[in-house]
Amino acid sequence: MKLIKTISTISFLFAILIGNLQAQNVTFEKSKAFISQFEKADPKKITWGYLTVPETWGANDGKTIKIAVTVLKKNSASKDSNAIVFIQGGPGASGIDNIWLWSRHPLRENNDIVLFDVRGTGYSQPRLDQGLGKKFLEILAKNQSEEEDEKQKTNAAMSCKQDLINRGINLDAYNSQAVANDLHALKAALKYKNWNVYGVSYGTYMAQVYANNFAGDVKSLLLDSPVYDISTYYVENTSNYMNSLQKVFKICKDDKTYDKQYPNLEKIYYEVIADLEKNPLTVAVDKTLIPSGTFTYNAEDFKVAVQQALYNKKLVEVIPLLIYQFHERKGESLGNLVSAFSALLSMDYGVYYCVSCNETLPNNDFLKYEQNAAQFKGLNGGISFYKSDFKVCDAWNSNRTIVKKDSNLSNLSAATYPVLVFSGEFDPITPLDNGKKVAQRFGKANYIEAKTYGHVPSFTKIGYQVVENFIDNPKQKPDLDIFNKADKVKLVTGITINKGVAKTGKSIGDQDPIFLFPLVTALLLMLAFVFTYLIKLIKKRYTTIQDKIVRIGATITSIIGLVLFGCLVMAILKVSEQNYFILAFGLPETFNYIFLMVLVFFTCLILTLVYYILTIKKTDARSVVFSVIFSNILLATYLFYWGII
């Protein structure tokens, strides 16, 4: 009798569950490619689609949203339904835009890769915001006080909030709990029994909430640069940053070569802050980034620039150079940094504030934040870029009843699936201590300290190796000390500053055929002229002295121009392999001969052009000679445009 009653109860609850899911209208429909470059991709290798889910889980109000999903099918012919779902950070960054990293990731060999854009983000519908980040960049670019920056940032965010309300968006429906429900529905819709969950940055918090709520969905859990305690995420922001930066100061101080190039680096850092507070530095920038064509660096911009540099190992290596460029007020190179700000602000800030103001800022104490920042006297407060989020969320949450949504993660201690946690040595936002504590939250987690790296170290050559072994061989103990083999941080020294190098590298990298066609044509003409006229000069085909001189001049100029351009391209390629970020400042001093060649090239070009003009009536085939001289002028024009000279 008891057995029958138990079966009846289970059947009743199951029926309720099924009915509730049906009422929630969860469906998955395929769509065309979200990214144009993949429109002709083999549909057997990649699937695009939308998961339709309730905007508010459990509300049954009929309102739905669409989650954009991309599935990269595994390369192997294995019939195992292994899959990895990737949860991007931010909150508000696109997961699908990472397809370029994942398309050739070693994990794809034996696993389907499931990328998705968190509700309200990227290709998901509706997208909550499409322009707030650009407004923030324009605010940062202005020459105004920290208080005015915060005021304008808050006003822009509130305008975004009102737009969301006018569009009927439920601001409370965008949080980690909702994302966990979305993931649970997505796994079922894609017909995976379970999958490997891979979260990075703030996506690690969402991954923990998901694993806590739906443990049966998780085959293994990988957390890179994890959030541990949501209530200290902002409170300890300043100390996390400064503790990481102190490591750079120590490396510089302990090495004689570095200390000679960048003496008293820590002292200079604080002097720059004091200087920029009194005398902001205005630099010229590309108008496609800032319509005004200028960006004014104040102390807060400087602090966030250094903080962001700690995210990436190669950027860590240029931090001393960056600090000294500000100290010497070298605006010609600092203008190149604005594109980095633009990338930082490219995520969806509508989602960012919905999530942050729903579950993060309400759990962080502003007084404790200020106490934490006050430890660092010369810093004059924390980083305004993050500090201002307190004011934004105070305004965002006005006239709303906010219940602190600090998720209960107690179920994680009973996890039976394999867990791997990464933390980067220089990470300024989710430091090493976070990773250790997150690992301790689980029964048997593997913790890896990624020495010499910053944020998200699993996306490195060593990281790829560790992750691949962990996912494909979950029973095998990972090499927890593998990052000890990583190359040491090598601070960049001996750089010749030239703002044109970065622009040249970008043009070459973009490979825009319309832009580069005239240059390539000119180089080919110069090359053809050199071969043709060297032969004719050797065979003494020219009888007048004027013909010989003008052709010798054009030949020498063309040879120097061709060698110059070739050396410049090779230098850029070589430096980009070593550390791409050096190009934002210039080239190592070992390439100074290139800048000398530029001067020689322009001198020869001017002399040849002047002589040609003076002897034009006595020159045979003057149109041919002029076409070659014009080709050299065109090369010179490109060098001027790039800013090489």
Side-chain angles (χ1 to χ4, degrees):
M1 189 68 182
K2 287 184 178 180
L3 178 60
I4 295 174
K5 190 174 182 179
T6 301
I7 293 173
S8 299
T9 302
I10 293 173
S11 299
F12 176 74
L13 293 173
F14 183 76
I16 291 175
L17 176 62
I18 295 298
N20 186 54
L21 286 175
Q22 290 174 342
Q24 295 287 282
N25 295 321
V26 175
T27 60
F28 181 78
E29 296 180 358
K30 293 183 179 180
S31 73
K32 64 179 183 179
F34 305 135
I35 302 173
S36 60
Q37 292 91 327
F38 290 88
E39 287 178 352
K40 296 182 180 180
D42 185 352
K44 294 180 180 179
K45 290 292 185 181
I46 182 168
T47 299
W48 309 84
Y50 286 103
L51 178 75
T52 299
V53 297
E55 181 184 40
T56 307
W57 282 96
N60 291 325
D61 56 7
K63 293 179 63 177
T64 60
I65 59 174
K66 292 184 176 183
I67 309 297
V69 180
T70 301
V71 182
L72 296 169
K73 296 296 184 179
K74 60 176 174 285
N75 293 323
S76 71
S78 170
K79 294 182 179 180
D80 294 335
S81 59
N82 291 330
I84 298 166
V85 61
F86 176 68
I87 309 175
Q88 181 57 284
S94 169
I96 292 175
D97 280 343
N98 284 268
I99 191 171
W100 306 103
L101 289 173
W102 284 103
S103 59
R104 295 186 178 180
H105 196 292
L107 281 174
R108 192 183 176 190
E109 182 62 28
N110 298 312
N111 305 274
D112 292 347
I113 307 297
V114 181
L115 307 176
F116 75 105
D117 283 343
V118 166
R119 49 174 48 213
T121 297
Y123 303 100
S124 291
Q125 300 175 2
R127 181 171 183 181
L128 299 198
D129 168 64
Q130 297 183 24
L132 197 52
K134 188 173 182 180
K135 291 179 183 177
F136 287 166
L137 183 62
E138 292 175 3
I139 291 169
L140 289 173
K142 296 177 182 178
N143 184 6
Q144 57 191 22
S145 66
E146 174 187 338
E147 292 74 20
E148 187 60 28
D149 272 358
E150 290 182 350
K151 178 182 176 182
Q152 291 186 15
K153 183 179 179 181
T154 302
N155 289 341
M158 290 303 292
S159 177
C160 172
K161 175 192 172 184
Q162 189 58 51
D163 175 65
L164 296 179
I165 293 172
N166 293 343
R167 290 160 56 192
I169 303 294
N170 179 7
L171 303 182
D172 292 326
Y174 296 81
N175 52 64
S176 295
Q177 294 284 355
V179 173
N181 289 330
D182 295 342
L183 285 166
H184 181 59
L186 178 60
K187 181 197 69 69
L190 296 178
K191 296 181 171 57
Y192 294 114
K193 179 182 177 181
N194 54 24
W195 52 12
N196 304 284
V197 179
Y198 191 157
V200 298
S201 195
Y202 198 89
T204 62
Y205 182 71
M206 294 178 171
Q208 290 176 79
V209 172
Y210 175 46
N212 183 82
N213 295 357
F214 302 99
D217 288 5
V218 183
K219 187 174 184 180
S220 71
L221 181 63
L222 199 156
L223 304 171
D224 186 356
S225 306
V227 175
Y228 170 65
D229 185 354
I230 205 72
S231 68
T232 61
Y233 189 62
Y234 275 82
V235 166
E236 297 178 356
N237 176 275
T238 307
S239 58
N240 290 340
Y241 161 48
M242 291 306 299
N243 289 340
S244 293
L245 185 57
Q246 287 289 343
K247 296 173 184 177
V248 180
F249 294 153
K250 187 176 187 306
I251 290 173
C252 195
K253 185 177 180 180
D254 291 348
D255 186 283
K256 291 182 180 180
T257 301
Y258 298 151
D259 193 46
K260 182 179 180 180
Q261 178 91 41
Y262 307 111
N264 303 310
L265 184 62
E266 184 174 2
K267 179 172 178 276
I268 295 298
Y269 170 77
Y270 287 114
E271 286 180 0
V272 170
I273 291 174
D275 178 48
L276 290 175
E277 284 179 343
K278 297 177 182 178
N279 305 297
L281 176 62
T282 300
V283 300
V285 298
D286 193 327
K287 288 188 177 182
T288 59
L289 293 175
I290 306 292
S292 66
T294 60
F295 187 99
T296 299
Y297 284 104
N298 56 29
E300 295 305 322
D301 300 326
F302 168 68
K303 285 188 280 187
V304 77
V306 175
Q307 191 255 8
Q308 288 297 303
L310 288 162
Y311 275 58
N312 184 293
K313 179 177 181 177
K314 294 302 182 183
L315 275 171
V316 167
E317 295 178 339
V318 302
I319 284 178
L321 175 61
L322 173 64
I323 292 172
Y324 261 79
Q325 286 298 291
F326 272 103
H327 177 60
E328 297 167 5
R329 301 181 70 84
K330 296 287 184 68
E332 61 270 18
S333 63
L334 295 175
N336 292 326
L337 290 178
V338 178
S339 59
F341 277 106
S342 179
L344 168 65
L345 296 168
S346 63
M347 65 183 180
D348 191 300
Y349 273 88
V351 172
Y352 178 85
Y353 284 119
C354 276
V355 174
S356 298
C357 299
N358 273 329
E359 67 186 27
T360 311
L361 270 303
N363 290 293
N364 282 257
D365 188 321
F366 182 64
L367 179 59
K368 290 181 179 178
Y369 170 88
E370 289 195 311
Q371 290 171 344
N372 180 272
Q375 301 174 65
F376 309 96
K377 304 296 183 183
L379 202 62
N380 298 336
I383 302 175
S384 178
F385 183 81
Y386 296 97
K387 177 183 175 183
S388 60
D389 284 349
F390 281 98
K391 290 190 176 180
V392 171
C393 284
D394 282 345
W396 188 280
N397 291 334
S398 62
N399 302 319
R400 297 176 66 209
T401 302
I402 297 296
V403 179
K404 292 186 178 182
K405 296 182 176 67
D406 187 5
S407 296
N408 179 359
L409 302 176
S410 59
N411 293 339
L412 297 179
S413 61
T416 58
Y417 44 78
V419 180
L420 179 62
V421 180
F422 281 91
S423 283
E425 181 182 2
F426 289 91
D427 192 335
I429 194 77
T430 53
L432 293 175
D433 193 48
N434 271 26
K436 294 174 184 176
K437 290 178 179 178
V438 167
Q440 292 169 1
R441 178 174 277 159
F442 298 87
K444 295 181 180 179
N446 299 289
Y447 169 68
I448 291 183
E449 180 179 322
K451 294 185 181 298
T452 76
Y453 285 92
H455 201 56
V456 192
S458 66
F459 281 84
T460 62
K461 187 176 181 179
I462 296 176
Y464 283 164
Q465 180 183 339
V466 176
V467 171
E468 183 181 17
N469 290 337
F470 173 72
I471 296 292
D472 291 343
N473 304 288
K475 294 182 180 180
Q476 182 178 320
K477 181 73 173 177
D479 182 354
L480 304 182
D481 298 319
I482 192 169
F483 275 90
N484 291 341
K485 303 173 185 177
D487 293 336
K488 293 182 179 180
V489 170
K490 298 175 183 177
L491 301 182
V492 171
T493 58
I495 301 299
T496 299
I497 304 302
N498 186 290
K499 67 177 182 179
V501 173
K503 199 170 184 179
T504 306
K506 185 178 185 303
S507 294
I508 295 170
D510 289 344
Q511 296 182 355
D512 182 351
I514 296 176
F515 177 79
L516 293 177
F517 178 76
L519 175 61
V520 173
T521 302
L523 293 173
L524 290 174
L525 280 173
M526 291 161 61
L527 188 62
F529 178 87
V530 168
F531 279 109
T532 302
Y533 284 94
L534 274 178
I535 293 172
K536 289 185 177 181
L537 284 169
I538 292 172
K539 293 183 176 181
K540 299 180 180 181
R541 294 283 181 89
Y542 303 104
T543 56
T544 65
I545 190 67
Q546 291 88 350
D547 277 344
K548 289 181 180 179
I549 292 175
V550 75
R551 282 166 172 78
I552 290 173
T555 301
I556 292 174
T557 303
S558 296
I559 291 173
I560 295 172
L562 289 166
V563 173
L564 160 63
F565 185 75
C567 289
L568 179 60
V569 172
M570 291 302 295
I572 289 173
L573 293 175
K574 185 174 182 179
V575 173
S576 65
E577 291 177 0
Q578 173 193 344
N579 187 335
Y580 176 81
F581 298 104
I582 292 175
L583 300 178
F585 301 92
L587 289 173
E589 291 174 349
T590 52
F591 295 105
N592 278 354
Y593 67 88
I594 292 176
F595 301 113
L596 178 61
M597 287 178 66
V598 171
L599 295 176
V600 174
F601 170 69
F602 273 88
T603 300
C604 290
L605 176 58
I606 292 170
L607 291 175
T608 301
L609 178 61
V610 170
Y611 187 83
Y612 171 77
I613 292 172
L614 294 175
T615 62
I616 189 170
K617 292 182 178 180
K618 299 179 181 179
T619 302
D620 291 334
R622 61 179 69 97
S623 61
V624 175
V625 176
F626 177 74
S627 67
V628 177
I629 294 176
F630 181 77
S631 295
N632 281 275
I633 292 174
L634 192 58
L635 172 59
T637 303
Y638 273 85
L639 294 174
F640 267 116
Y641 169 76
W642 286 324
I644 295 296
I645 191 169

